[in-house]
Amino acid sequence: MSVIATSPASTPWWRSRGVRRFARHKLAIIGLVMITLLTLACVIGPYLLPYDSLYIDLRARFAPPLTGYHFLGTDPLGRDIAARLLEAGRISLLVGFFAMLLSTVVGTVIGVVSGYFGGAIGATLMRFVDAFLSFPSIFLLLALAALLQPTPIMITVIIALTSWMEVARIVEAEVRSLRERDFVQASRMIGLSSAHIMFREILPNAMGPIIVAATLTVARAILLEAYVSFLGYGIQPPLPSWGNMLNGAQQYLSTAPWLAIIPGITITIAVTSFNFIGDGLRDALDVRSDHM
C-alpha cells in the first residue's frame, strides 16, 4: 500500500535522482568525505600510533606539535595528543550517533502516534512535547548530568532525552499531512490495524524529513557532549572526549594553545560536516528540488 516513489528496476541506486541531487551539493560531499576520514582515523588511527592515550612521557610534557613521535604534541602529563584526540573521537562520535538513534526513535514514535490519531491524543502528546521544549535544553541537560553518574552511556541517554522533541514535531506535522491520503484511506477500508497503517504505510513515506533531522541531531549531540564535558559534567578523565580535552586545556591557552586549538578544530569539522550532510540530504529528498 505504500506510495514511495521508486526508480525503474533497471536503474541502480547510485544513479537515482536523489543520489544525483545529493552529489550536486558540493558542501554535502565535502562533509561526507570529512566525516568518513574522521571516522576511519578514530577507528584505525589509535592502532597505528606509537603511544596509547594513557601513556605518560614525563620528559615530553608540553611538547609542541611536530615534535618527534608526538606529531600533535603532548599535554601537561606528557600524554600524546593525537592518541587522546582519536580515542576521544571514538567516544564523542559514538555518543553523537547513539544519542541521535535514541532521540529519533522516541521522537518518531510520539510524532507518528500524535499525527495519526490527532484529537485529544494528539493534543496531549503535543502539549507533552511543548512542556519539554519550555525548559532550555542546555540547563535541563546540565541538571541531569549533575544528578546522574556521567558515564558515556548515561551522557548518551541524557542528550537523547533533551533532543527528541524537535524530531517529534517534524514527524507529527508530516504524518498529519499524510493521514488523509488515498493510500491511508484504502488501508483503513481493507481493515488494516492502526499500528500497521502508522508504521508500515505512513512512516516509510515520512522518512525523508526524519533522515534529515537525524543527521542534524548527530551534530547537535556531539556539540552538547563537548559542552557538558567542557563544563566538567560530562565524560570524566582519564577517559578522553573532545569536550574534556578542552576543559583540561583552558588554563594553558597562553602557554600551550595547541591543547585547545586541536580538539576545537576537530569538533568544528565534525559538527560542520554533519550539518553540510543534512543540508545535502534535505535537497536530495525534496522532490521539488529536482529540475531534471
Side-chain angles (χ1 to χ4, degrees):
M1 300 297 296
S2 179
V3 296
I4 297 178
T6 58
S7 302
S10 58
T11 304
W13 65 268
W14 60 86
R15 296 181 60 187
S16 65
R17 287 177 295 176
V19 172
R20 291 200 299 269
R21 285 195 293 266
F22 184 83
R24 289 200 299 264
H25 199 295
K26 292 183 174 55
L27 289 178
I29 296 299
I30 292 173
L32 184 60
V33 170
M34 294 303 295
I35 286 299
T36 302
L37 293 176
L38 185 59
T39 303
L40 288 175
C42 292
V43 172
I44 301 173
Y47 299 109
L48 305 178
L49 296 173
Y51 305 105
D52 62 31
S53 62
L54 297 178
Y55 178 80
I56 296 176
D57 185 358
L58 292 176
R59 294 173 298 179
R61 295 173 64 245
F62 293 110
L66 304 178
T67 303
Y69 291 107
H70 306 289
F71 71 95
L72 290 182
T74 60
D75 67 5
L77 296 178
R79 294 173 298 187
D80 187 71
I81 294 295
R84 288 182 58 76
L85 186 76
L86 297 180
E87 188 71 29
R90 290 181 177 181
I91 296 172
S92 295
L93 290 173
L94 284 173
V95 167
F97 176 77
F98 284 107
M100 172 274 293
L101 195 61
L102 183 56
S103 64
T104 301
V105 170
V106 174
T108 297
V109 171
I110 291 178
V112 168
V113 173
S114 175
Y116 179 77
F117 288 106
I121 295 176
T124 301
L125 289 175
M126 283 299 101
R127 297 300 75 76
F128 181 65
V129 172
D130 291 339
F132 269 83
L133 286 172
S134 66
F135 294 98
S137 60
I138 191 60
F139 294 125
L140 183 60
L141 178 63
L142 288 173
L144 290 173
L147 291 173
L148 301 173
Q149 183 70 23
T151 63
I153 293 177
M154 189 56 65
I155 293 298
T156 301
V157 173
I158 292 172
I159 292 175
L161 290 177
T162 59
S163 304
W164 61 270
M165 297 82 73
E166 291 82 1
V167 178
R169 279 205 164 280
I170 292 171
V171 175
E172 189 269 343
E174 189 71 16
V175 171
R176 192 152 32 88
S177 70
L178 290 171
R179 67 184 181 187
E180 302 303 328
R181 300 281 285 273
D182 290 342
F183 73 96
V184 176
Q185 301 297 331
S187 299
R188 291 176 180 144
M189 290 178 62
I190 63 175
L192 295 178
S193 66
S194 295
H196 181 97
I197 295 173
M198 285 189 291
F199 296 105
R200 297 293 297 276
E201 305 296 333
I202 294 179
L203 183 57
N205 290 279
M207 286 305 296
I210 295 174
I211 292 172
V212 174
T215 306
L216 299 176
T217 300
V218 178
R220 183 170 183 267
I222 291 173
L223 205 56
L224 286 174
E225 183 279 320
Y227 186 87
V228 222
S229 295
F230 173 74
L231 294 177
Y233 294 101
I235 308 299
Q236 298 297 306
L239 200 61
S241 79
W242 291 334
N244 67 29
M245 289 180 70
L246 284 174
N247 176 277
Q250 56 185 327
Q251 58 183 312
Y252 304 108
L253 290 177
S254 59
T255 57
W258 63 88
L259 296 177
I261 292 173
I262 292 172
I265 290 175
T266 309
I267 293 171
T268 302
I269 290 173
V271 171
T272 305
S273 297
F274 275 115
N275 284 331
F276 285 161
I277 294 171
D279 290 340
L281 287 173
R282 183 184 293 113
D283 292 345
L285 297 172
D286 183 2
V287 295
R288 293 171 296 183
S289 67
D290 188 9
H291 302 296
M292 298 185 62

